[in-house]
Amino acid sequence: MADAFDFGTRATPAIRALTAYDPGHDIPALRLRFADRGGLLELGSNENAYGPSPSARAAAQAALAQLHRYPDPAGKALKAAIARLHGVREEQVLLGNGSHELLMQLAQVFSAPGEDIVASRYCFAVYPIAAQAAGARLVLAEAFGEQAGMPLGHDLEALAAAVTPATKLVFFANPNNPTGTWFDTEALADFLAKIPPEVLVVADEAYIEYATDPALSSAMALRTCFPNLVVARTFSKAYGLAGLRAGYLVADASVVRAMEPVRESFNLNAMALAAAEAALADSAHLDAVRRGNAAERARLATALRNLGLAVLPSQTNFLLVRFGSGTAALEQALFTRGVILRPMAGYGLGHYLRVTVATPAENERLLAALREVLA
Ligand SMILES: *Cc1c(COP(=O)(O)O)cnc(C)c1O
């Protein structure tokens, strides 16, 4: 029987205009389909193919013994570990059920209808959703074109020029998803000097642990000069805990205080709190992930270029690859072989696919499938 009434019409105008975040594919269904055909090769979501620290896994398992208890609502132990890592006070740290949640909350708390959120073309898809959900206007600065020095990278001058008295927040990821491109720390400092000190600038550093370019370091060090800088981090990528959902931001204590009331009291579950804390303590594992990824990122990029493909430079655990006008057909051909890449049409990059850098064996399987499909 048809629904009698569409309650969606009762949603706020801002929410009605929203399209949900598109995760790319129905992965659980595809896993089943390819279970007896060599398994699915999941290279669409920038997950960490090396997995988390063994001690993080053990900590999550130990937390299972207390599943009937609520987790620590303040996440005190994890917050303290994060504060120590970055040399900040605990009041400057806010925990999120993934950093996605924090990006949404930033927009919710600091912007409203009639106000602007500034981001760049080819920005992470969550920023437009966060702006729209808050009813704010998203202003997109132009990025570099395909011909420019860093093709498709953010143009910080254009980003700064897009900031007006109506601007409440600026969002960018460095390095950026989905392009993998980055700007160095000096350029970021110059950019911050142009932004009015009351406008919050959110540096989303979801991939910063993967960066190997010495010119690119975390914006965290710039926070002392620029109190309006908010740095967002996640345990989903280099720490390999995407399944648990844990992220955080470091900001001025007044930013954290303003956001705290909208945070759900138990937003991080007990396993996530325990595993994230253990993951932070295992810097050897993080180093191994970083080294393994850097080597495979270089090797895979070279192999793809040898296949005649254009590959954007990347400081992340993924590569943006130009497949040209045959992209959709190629993606489909890989798909039927159980190889999942991320289609980019939603980003206005229909001639590109985003490829997660995985383990050597997985990358080999991708290359073999690509050679077959391209032949
Ligand atoms: C993956 C990613 C995140 C992290 O998302 P979580 O919610 O922490 O899993 C944030 N920003 C960008 C740009 C990302 O690619």
Side-chain angles (χ1 to χ4, degrees):
M1 200 180 86
D3 291 340
F5 178 69
D6 177 6
F7 289 96
T9 60
R10 305 283 285 171
T12 65
I15 299 294
R16 279 210 305 272
L18 260 177
T19 328
Y21 177 78
D22 176 8
H25 293 283
D26 182 355
I27 294 292
L30 288 170
R31 278 182 194 146
L32 282 179
R33 205 167 109 195
F34 285 92
D36 53 2
R37 289 196 270 159
L40 195 64
L41 183 57
E42 299 176 31
L43 304 176
S45 293
N46 302 343
E47 291 145 336
N48 182 347
Y50 298 90
S53 154
S55 55
R57 200 184 290 275
Q61 250 147 14
L64 292 177
Q66 294 291 320
L67 273 192
H68 59 301
R69 301 286 180 205
Y70 277 110
D72 174 7
K76 191 96 174 112
L78 176 58
K79 248 189 209 177
I82 292 166
R84 267 197 310 278
L85 175 72
H86 297 300
V88 298
R89 288 174 290 121
E90 283 170 43
E91 309 88 78
Q92 294 178 272
V93 179
L94 187 66
L95 301 177
N97 188 295
S99 54
H100 186 149
E101 179 181 76
L102 295 169
L103 299 169
M104 298 294 289
Q105 283 172 2
L106 280 161
Q108 180 192 1
V109 170
F110 294 105
S111 71
E115 299 176 334
D116 289 357
I117 292 182
V118 168
S120 172
R121 194 165 179 210
Y122 311 127
C123 67
F124 185 40
V126 166
Y127 312 153
I129 296 175
Q132 249 182 299
R137 189 171 73 118
L138 181 78
V139 177
L140 277 185
E142 197 43 72
F144 291 123
E146 296 192 58
Q147 265 58 265
M150 183 68 102
L152 313 181
H154 289 357
D155 179 346
L156 287 177
E157 267 175 48
L159 204 60
V163 172
T164 71
T167 307
K168 298 296 289 289
L169 281 161
V170 179
F171 278 116
F172 62 80
N174 193 36
N176 185 44
N177 176 18
T179 58
T181 53
W182 68 100
F183 35 84
D184 62 33
T185 314
E186 215 177 291
L188 178 57
D190 291 346
F191 166 77
L192 286 164
K194 292 181 201 154
I195 307 300
E198 69 280 6
V199 174
L200 289 173
V201 176
V202 182
D204 178 349
E205 296 192 332
Y207 299 94
I208 195 73
E209 295 89 356
Y210 287 119
T212 50
D213 180 349
L216 166 61
S217 53
S218 171
M220 210 68 83
L222 297 172
R223 283 214 59 271
T224 42
C225 298
F226 302 101
N228 58 330
L229 180 60
V230 178
V231 181
R233 294 283 191 97
T234 181
F235 289 96
S236 298
K237 306 288 158 60
Y239 288 103
L241 294 172
L244 280 179
R245 316 302 302 127
Y248 63 95
L249 61 76
V250 173
D252 194 78
S254 62
V255 170
V256 173
R257 266 199 309 278
M259 294 180 72
E260 188 62 41
V262 304
R263 182 181 73 84
E264 286 177 39
S265 39
F266 302 101
N267 61 334
L268 269 77
N269 68 68
M271 284 80 68
L273 287 172
E277 190 188 346
L280 278 185
D282 189 353
S283 58
H285 181 79
L286 182 64
D287 283 343
V289 166
R290 190 186 279 136
R291 275 196 306 275
N293 179 72
E296 278 306 291
R297 181 174 69 202
R299 193 180 72 86
L300 183 60
T302 303
L304 292 169
R305 288 187 184 116
N306 288 343
L307 290 174
L309 301 165
V311 181
L312 261 69
S314 169
Q315 286 289 296
T316 64
N317 68 335
F318 61 85
L319 298 169
L320 190 65
V321 185
R322 192 175 210 288
F323 289 94
S325 53
T327 300
L330 181 127
E331 199 234 337
Q332 203 50 42
L334 288 172
F335 192 75
T336 60
R337 286 164 174 77
V339 178
I340 306 302
L341 305 183
R342 176 60 71 90
M344 286 284 112
Y347 283 91
L349 295 166
H351 288 182
Y352 293 78
L353 294 171
R354 197 189 62 197
V355 183
T356 305
V357 177
T359 62
E362 288 171 322
N363 296 335
E364 272 314 308
R365 185 175 157 198
L366 164 70
L367 288 167
L370 262 180
R371 282 187 200 105
E372 217 177 280
V373 166
L374 289 170

Short mmCIF file of all heavy atoms in Angstrom, two decimals, residues 98-100 124 127 173 177 204 206-207 234 236-237 245-246, ligand 1:
data_model
loop_
_atom_site.label_atom_id
_atom_site.label_comp_id
_atom_site.label_asym_id
_atom_site.label_seq_id
_atom_site.Cartn_x
_atom_site.Cartn_y
_atom_site.Cartn_z
N GLY A 98 33.81 9.49 14.11
CA GLY A 98 34.37 9.78 12.78
C GLY A 98 34.48 11.28 12.64
O GLY A 98 33.75 12.04 13.32
N SER A 99 35.38 11.76 11.79
CA SER A 99 35.48 13.22 11.65
C SER A 99 34.33 13.77 10.81
O SER A 99 34.02 14.95 10.87
CB SER A 99 36.84 13.63 11.08
OG SER A 99 37.12 12.97 9.88
N HIS A 100 33.69 12.90 10.02
CA HIS A 100 32.49 13.30 9.28
C HIS A 100 31.49 13.99 10.23
O HIS A 100 30.96 15.07 9.93
CB HIS A 100 31.86 12.05 8.65
CG HIS A 100 30.70 12.30 7.75
ND1 HIS A 100 30.41 11.50 6.66
CD2 HIS A 100 29.73 13.25 7.75
CE1 HIS A 100 29.34 11.96 6.05
NE2 HIS A 100 28.90 13.01 6.69
N PHE A 124 36.07 17.69 -0.67
CA PHE A 124 35.44 16.50 -0.10
C PHE A 124 33.92 16.69 -0.08
O PHE A 124 33.42 17.76 0.28
CB PHE A 124 35.98 16.32 1.33
CG PHE A 124 35.53 15.08 2.03
CD1 PHE A 124 35.43 13.86 1.37
CD2 PHE A 124 35.23 15.13 3.39
CE1 PHE A 124 35.04 12.72 2.05
CE2 PHE A 124 34.84 13.99 4.08
CZ PHE A 124 34.74 12.78 3.41
N TYR A 127 31.57 18.48 2.76
CA TYR A 127 31.45 19.91 3.06
C TYR A 127 30.16 20.51 2.49
O TYR A 127 29.45 21.23 3.19
CB TYR A 127 32.67 20.71 2.58
CG TYR A 127 34.01 20.12 2.94
CD1 TYR A 127 35.13 20.35 2.17
CD2 TYR A 127 34.16 19.32 4.08
CE1 TYR A 127 36.37 19.81 2.50
CE2 TYR A 127 35.39 18.77 4.41
CZ TYR A 127 36.49 19.01 3.61
OH TYR A 127 37.70 18.47 3.92
N ALA A 173 40.54 20.20 2.70
CA ALA A 173 41.33 19.05 3.15
C ALA A 173 42.73 19.19 2.59
O ALA A 173 42.91 19.57 1.44
CB ALA A 173 40.69 17.76 2.66
N ASN A 177 41.01 15.16 -0.62
CA ASN A 177 40.25 14.05 -1.20
C ASN A 177 39.13 14.70 -2.00
O ASN A 177 38.45 15.54 -1.45
CB ASN A 177 39.68 13.20 -0.06
CG ASN A 177 38.79 12.09 -0.56
OD1 ASN A 177 38.83 11.73 -1.73
ND2 ASN A 177 37.97 11.55 0.33
N ASP A 204 41.07 19.91 7.22
CA ASP A 204 40.73 18.49 7.37
C ASP A 204 41.97 17.68 6.99
O ASP A 204 42.35 17.63 5.83
CB ASP A 204 39.53 18.21 6.44
CG ASP A 204 39.09 16.76 6.46
OD1 ASP A 204 39.81 15.91 7.02
OD2 ASP A 204 38.03 16.48 5.88
N ALA A 206 42.61 14.38 7.17
CA ALA A 206 42.31 12.94 7.20
C ALA A 206 43.46 12.09 6.67
O ALA A 206 43.61 10.93 7.06
CB ALA A 206 41.04 12.66 6.40
N TYR A 207 44.28 12.68 5.79
CA TYR A 207 45.35 11.89 5.14
C TYR A 207 46.75 12.37 5.51
O TYR A 207 47.72 11.92 4.91
CB TYR A 207 45.17 11.95 3.61
CG TYR A 207 43.86 11.36 3.18
CD1 TYR A 207 42.75 12.18 2.99
CD2 TYR A 207 43.72 10.00 2.99
CE1 TYR A 207 41.53 11.64 2.63
CE2 TYR A 207 42.50 9.45 2.63
CZ TYR A 207 41.42 10.28 2.45
OH TYR A 207 40.21 9.75 2.10
N THR A 234 41.33 11.94 11.76
CA THR A 234 40.51 10.74 11.83
C THR A 234 41.35 9.51 12.13
O THR A 234 42.55 9.50 11.83
CB THR A 234 39.74 10.51 10.50
OG1 THR A 234 38.94 9.33 10.63
CG2 THR A 234 40.69 10.33 9.32
N SER A 236 40.24 6.75 10.79
CA SER A 236 39.73 5.87 9.73
C SER A 236 40.75 5.54 8.66
O SER A 236 40.58 4.57 7.92
CB SER A 236 38.52 6.52 9.05
OG SER A 236 37.47 6.71 9.96
N LYS A 237 41.77 6.34 8.50
CA LYS A 237 42.66 6.15 7.37
C LYS A 237 43.97 5.51 7.83
O LYS A 237 44.06 4.31 7.92
CB LYS A 237 42.87 7.50 6.65
CG LYS A 237 41.54 8.16 6.24
CD LYS A 237 40.85 7.46 5.09
CE LYS A 237 39.34 7.71 4.98
NZ LYS A 237 38.93 9.10 4.81
N ARG A 245 34.76 4.02 13.81
CA ARG A 245 34.28 5.41 13.80
C ARG A 245 34.88 6.23 14.94
O ARG A 245 34.34 6.27 16.05
CB ARG A 245 32.73 5.49 13.86
CG ARG A 245 31.97 4.53 12.98
CD ARG A 245 32.32 4.68 11.50
NE ARG A 245 32.07 6.02 11.05
CZ ARG A 245 32.98 6.78 10.41
NH1 ARG A 245 34.17 6.30 10.14
NH2 ARG A 245 32.68 8.00 10.03
N ALA A 246 35.98 6.83 14.69
CA ALA A 246 36.58 7.74 15.65
C ALA A 246 37.35 8.83 14.91
O ALA A 246 38.10 8.56 13.97
CB ALA A 246 37.52 7.00 16.61
C1 LIG B 1 37.88 9.75 4.97
C2 LIG B 1 37.79 11.20 5.17
C3 LIG B 1 37.40 11.74 6.39
C4 LIG B 1 37.19 10.87 7.58
O1 LIG B 1 35.96 10.37 7.74
P1 LIG B 1 35.59 9.60 9.06
O2 LIG B 1 34.21 10.06 9.32
O3 LIG B 1 36.53 10.01 10.15
O4 LIG B 1 35.71 8.15 8.73
C5 LIG B 1 37.36 13.11 6.56
N1 LIG B 1 37.73 13.92 5.57
C6 LIG B 1 38.14 13.45 4.39
C7 LIG B 1 38.60 14.40 3.36
C8 LIG B 1 38.17 12.08 4.15
O5 LIG B 1 38.55 11.63 2.96
#
